[in-house]
Amino acid sequence: MEMNREKLCTNKADVSSESAYHCSACHDDEEWSSTSRGRAKSRSLSASPALGSTKEFRRTRSLHGPCPVTTFGPKACMLQNPKTIMHIQDPASQRLTWNKPPKSILVIKKIRDASLLQPFKELCVYLTEENNMIVYVEKKVLEDPAIANDDNFGPVKKKFCTFREDYDDISNQIDFIICLGGDGTLLYASSLFQGSVPPVMAFHLGSLGFLTPFNFENFQSQVTQVIEGNAALVLRSRLKVKVVKENREKTTIQNGIEENGVVSTNIEKEVGKQIMQYQVLNEVVVDRGPSSYLSNVDVFLDGHLITTVQGDGVIVSTPTGSTAYAAAAGASMIHPNVPAIMITPICPHSLSFRPIVVPAGVELKIMLSPDARNTAWVSFDGRKRQEICHGDSISITTSCYPLPSICFRDPVSDWFESLAECLHWNVRKKQNNFTVEE
């Protein structure tokens, strides 16, 4: 989805000029440069084009990453705030609005969880019969015997639109997403949309629930309020990941499935290379896999080697993922509105290797060190796990397609409440105060 071009007007005579800036990260023809600094050469934002020039040129990513797309799915967008200054605003001022009333809703239910059957049925009946909406459900959800054999639910089930993961593309058909389950349902929703993501409303019906702020008791009023618009919103940044592999064996691709049965996402073929791209909400994990040797991978930032990781591996996470695996590995926790990428080692064989935070928008590249004893393994939000060999590379930067997560109150209150409720952050018995005599 292309963003509107920002015209550069140096004077009134230049208003009609064709020169314009636009973010290369927001376009499908974005190039991953292999120059010495890892960026394509371009003119600075502060530089003015030569008079009379009609050439279009692109800007590089800013320190705060590419400008995020503020349209979510076919009908949702960010409510414009006239008080916004330089794209930096109070997180609590981010509000959802609709260009048109939402009509199609994707309901994501945690598989093989009997406790979710009744909430799922109640929600679907409410959406189809009372709100007259089109409900999309994954086909394997309806294959559950408790749903397939329920005759009372049959009339509602016939109205569903079904899809299959990795086979059916529903990215342009969904206006709104509702998740029933734990944090994994939100990660799964993110994986279904490799471009613009519709607004997501997540109900806490799982185990942890750090990313699912809504309770299901009053779901009717809460869903109605979101459909009417003006709900609080937090844009959870995602990582755009490109894996480049050397072709070491001949495979045939049919419908996105290799001969060995592994499903691949967005596969492109080059001479001697295989390229795969992913949108990641939590983290990219590179580890040593089943090998008993230390991992030995090189980490580059904008083309410069910054360190070699010797240990169990390395985690590259978003602020949303900073409270997941990265937190368990000793990293700090970052609010999702902070534009950043976190690099966290896993059990490093070095006392001084501390987690670091780098600006959003930089380009990281991870490769096996030339003298590494073994290969490495990589996974994306715990999925698509695959082996990385010598000559392969993993390129990571900030995606311009964030995941718009609807808040129960506001981004700040929801986040600190999740820290307290789910992780028991800074919970301890309070110290007694002094009595008057003391």
Side-chain angles (χ1 to χ4, degrees):
M1 182 179 295
E2 295 190 355
M3 299 180 63
N4 294 328
R5 298 175 179 175
E6 302 173 0
K7 294 297 180 69
L8 179 66
C9 302
T10 55
N11 52 47
K12 293 183 179 180
D14 295 330
V15 172
S16 60
S17 173
E18 295 181 6
S19 298
Y21 293 104
H22 67 274
C23 178
S24 63
C26 301
H27 293 73
D28 293 333
D29 57 349
E30 176 188 3
E31 296 182 357
W32 293 70
S33 175
S34 58
T35 59
S36 60
R37 289 190 58 82
R39 299 172 184 260
K41 292 182 179 179
S42 63
R43 303 184 62 165
S44 169
L45 270 175
S46 60
S48 299
L51 293 177
S53 173
T54 59
K55 290 185 178 180
E56 183 181 285
F57 52 93
R58 303 175 184 272
R59 69 170 173 85
T60 57
R61 296 176 180 82
S62 70
L63 290 180
H64 294 290
C67 299
V69 174
T70 55
T71 55
F72 318 116
K75 298 177 182 177
C77 62
M78 182 87 77
L79 186 63
Q80 296 298 320
N81 181 12
K83 297 181 180 180
T84 301
I85 301 174
M86 295 179 62
H87 301 289
I88 300 175
Q89 60 179 323
D90 178 8
S93 67
Q94 295 179 169
R95 314 291 296 185
L96 172 69
T97 188
W98 302 94
N99 295 321
K100 297 179 181 179
K103 188 66 177 176
S104 58
I105 295 184
L106 170 62
V107 177
I108 297 179
K109 171 189 167 295
K110 185 178 180 181
I111 304 296
R112 295 185 297 273
D113 192 337
S115 64
L116 298 181
L117 293 176
Q118 190 60 31
F120 172 75
K121 294 177 182 179
E122 292 179 9
L123 175 64
C124 292
V125 169
Y126 173 74
L127 294 174
T128 56
E129 296 187 354
E130 297 189 29
N131 283 22
N132 195 28
M133 289 188 166
I134 302 172
V135 176
Y136 283 76
V137 178
E138 192 172 6
K139 191 173 182 179
K140 62 183 178 182
V141 171
L142 300 182
E143 294 173 355
D144 190 323
I147 296 178
N149 300 329
D150 189 347
D151 296 334
N152 295 329
F153 192 64
V156 178
K157 187 174 61 175
K158 291 180 180 179
K159 299 179 182 179
F160 290 162
C161 295
T162 60
F163 71 97
R164 295 175 298 171
E165 183 187 7
D166 295 319
Y167 284 91
D168 302 318
D169 183 12
I170 58 172
S171 56
N172 294 323
Q173 303 174 29
I174 303 300
D175 301 330
F176 182 33
I177 303 173
I178 296 180
C179 295
L180 303 177
D183 295 341
T185 58
L186 191 68
L187 297 175
Y188 179 68
S190 173
S191 69
L192 293 176
F193 295 85
Q194 295 298 302
S196 179
V197 186
V200 182
M201 184 178 188
F203 286 93
H204 175 33
L205 292 168
S207 54
L208 184 60
F210 193 93
L211 306 178
T212 54
F214 288 92
N215 293 319
F216 195 76
E217 285 75 15
N218 301 317
F219 77 93
Q220 296 94 337
S221 60
Q222 293 172 340
V223 172
T224 301
Q225 184 179 358
V226 171
I227 292 175
E228 292 175 352
N230 201 28
L233 198 68
V234 57
L235 299 184
R236 299 187 179 276
S237 64
R238 299 196 293 176
L239 298 175
K240 180 179 180 180
V241 186
K242 186 174 78 167
V243 180
V244 179
K245 287 188 173 184
E246 301 287 343
N247 277 337
R248 297 175 179 84
E249 57 182 355
K250 196 171 182 181
T251 59
T252 58
I253 306 296
Q254 296 180 350
N255 298 328
I257 301 180
E258 300 182 8
E259 286 179 345
N260 56 10
V262 178
V263 179
S264 301
T265 305
N266 296 338
I267 292 183
E268 300 176 7
K269 284 288 186 180
E270 289 185 359
V271 178
K273 292 185 178 181
Q274 181 183 14
I275 301 176
M276 294 164 285
Q277 293 190 8
Y278 306 91
Q279 297 283 335
V280 177
L281 178 60
N282 260 1
E283 72 274 302
V284 179
V285 177
V286 180
D287 60 68
R288 60 189 175 96
S291 173
S292 59
Y293 295 111
L294 292 174
S295 69
N296 202 329
V297 295
D298 294 335
V299 180
F300 299 83
L301 192 150
D302 285 347
H304 296 282
L305 176 65
I306 58 172
T307 191
T308 297
V309 180
Q310 296 185 91
D312 283 353
V314 64
I315 305 168
V316 179
S317 61
T318 63
T320 296
S322 69
T323 53
Y325 192 3
S332 297
M333 294 176 288
I334 305 176
H335 190 276
N337 277 105
V338 177
I341 298 175
M342 176 173 283
I343 304 173
T344 306
I346 307 173
C347 298
H349 200 229
S350 169
L351 297 178
S352 60
F353 198 164
R354 301 294 299 275
I356 61 172
V357 178
V358 296
V362 301
E363 295 179 6
L364 297 172
K365 179 175 282 189
I366 300 177
M367 301 180 67
L368 272 179
S369 299
D371 55 351
R373 293 183 176 183
N374 58 299
T375 61
W377 290 76
V378 62
S379 60
F380 314 94
D381 285 341
R383 297 162 57 88
K384 310 291 185 183
R385 185 169 171 83
Q386 53 196 272
E387 190 175 14
I388 300 297
C389 303
H390 285 91
D392 300 342
S393 66
I394 306 167
S395 299
I396 306 171
T397 189
T398 305
S399 171
C400 62
Y401 297 109
L403 184 140
S405 180
I406 298 171
C407 303
F408 180 69
R409 293 187 178 87
D410 61 77
V412 175
S413 300
D414 285 8
W415 192 68
F416 278 99
E417 185 172 339
S418 293
L419 287 181
E421 292 293 328
C422 300
L423 300 183
H424 301 288
W425 177 67
N426 197 27
V427 175
R428 70 178 295 272
K429 186 177 180 180
K430 288 187 176 182
Q431 187 180 46
N432 294 331
N433 63 337
F434 287 122
T435 61
V436 176
E437 291 79 5
E438 292 173 326

